[in-house]
Amino acid sequence: MLKTTIADPSRPGSLAHSARSRRWQELLRCFPDLPEMRVLDLGGTPASWRGAPVRPAQVVTVNLDPHTAREAEPGITAVVADACGPCLPGRFSAERFDLVYSNSVLEHVGGHYRRRQFTDTVHAQGTHHWIQTPYRYFPVEPHWLFPGLQWLPFRARVAVSQYWPLGHIRRAGRADAVRDVQEVELLSVTEMRSYFPASDIWIERFAGLPKSLVARK
């Protein structure tokens, strides 16, 4: 029940739902023409757009999970590809979109080199962008909902991932927990600015504290 109240973005009244609603309001303030835009969503899924407050004219999602291709529907195209690749496959490789969008993906791509490839894709494919990632120094780690987890030694983070019941990442055996911990690298404001030097970095706050970062242009 506590997990649902805090972390379920589809549940009205949850903290996650309230945060997502505020983020959508800011997105629409920055891009009021979103309903007419062609949007490239790096790391997203068609399902995530079905419940969106506003549907763009066209959405193309890029995700490594082949199951996302089954979720496509009119107006939403699912491409199974690596958002950190040198370019997108097929007809999308030469296209530019009105907006490149990404939500809580940059911290998962795997190290500085891969993050640089990801941002190269953002700049190459879009006229504008909105790239969100959780802030490293928010006191509660957002994937596990565990206070200060990101600052613990690696071994301690693995132990938490094995047994902690809250958050978005399921409890798992040691091998899977090691993989899950390895796949999350939260970013600081300085790092975000280094990847998006010409962008405005909007700091999303919760209870007055910086909670996530958005590079927008």
Side-chain angles (χ1 to χ4, degrees), residues 9 17 30 55 63 72 77 88 92 103 109 119 131 134 140 161 205:
H17 184 272
C30 293
R55 175 79 70 86
N63 199 300
T77 302
L88 298 181
F92 298 109
N103 186 68
V109 299
T119 56
I131 310 298
V140 178
S161 191
R205 296 179 181 272

Side-chain angles (χ1 to χ4, degrees), residues 135 187-196 213:
Y135 178 51
L187 278 70
S188 67
V189 175
T190 301
E191 289 172 302
M192 198 66 165
R193 284 180 174 149
S194 74
Y195 294 125
F196 299 96
L213 311 174

Side-chain angles (χ1 to χ4, degrees), residues 114-127:
R114 294 269 295 167
R115 288 194 291 270
R116 179 60 68 192
Q117 288 182 313
F118 182 95
T119 56
D120 287 346
T121 300
V122 172
H123 297 309
Q125 299 282 166
T127 303

Side-chain angles (χ1 to χ4, degrees), residues 41-98:
D41 183 353
L42 299 180
T45 66
S48 67
W49 287 95
R50 291 197 188 103
V54 175
R55 175 79 70 86
Q58 181 188 11
V59 176
V60 175
T61 65
V62 177
N63 199 300
L64 287 170
D65 185 354
H67 292 93
T68 60
R70 305 174 189 171
E71 301 174 357
E73 60 182 60
I76 304 178
T77 302
V79 176
V80 179
D82 185 356
C84 299
C87 63
L88 298 181
R91 66 185 179 92
F92 298 109
S93 61
E95 290 194 35
R96 281 183 65 81
F97 292 79
D98 299 315

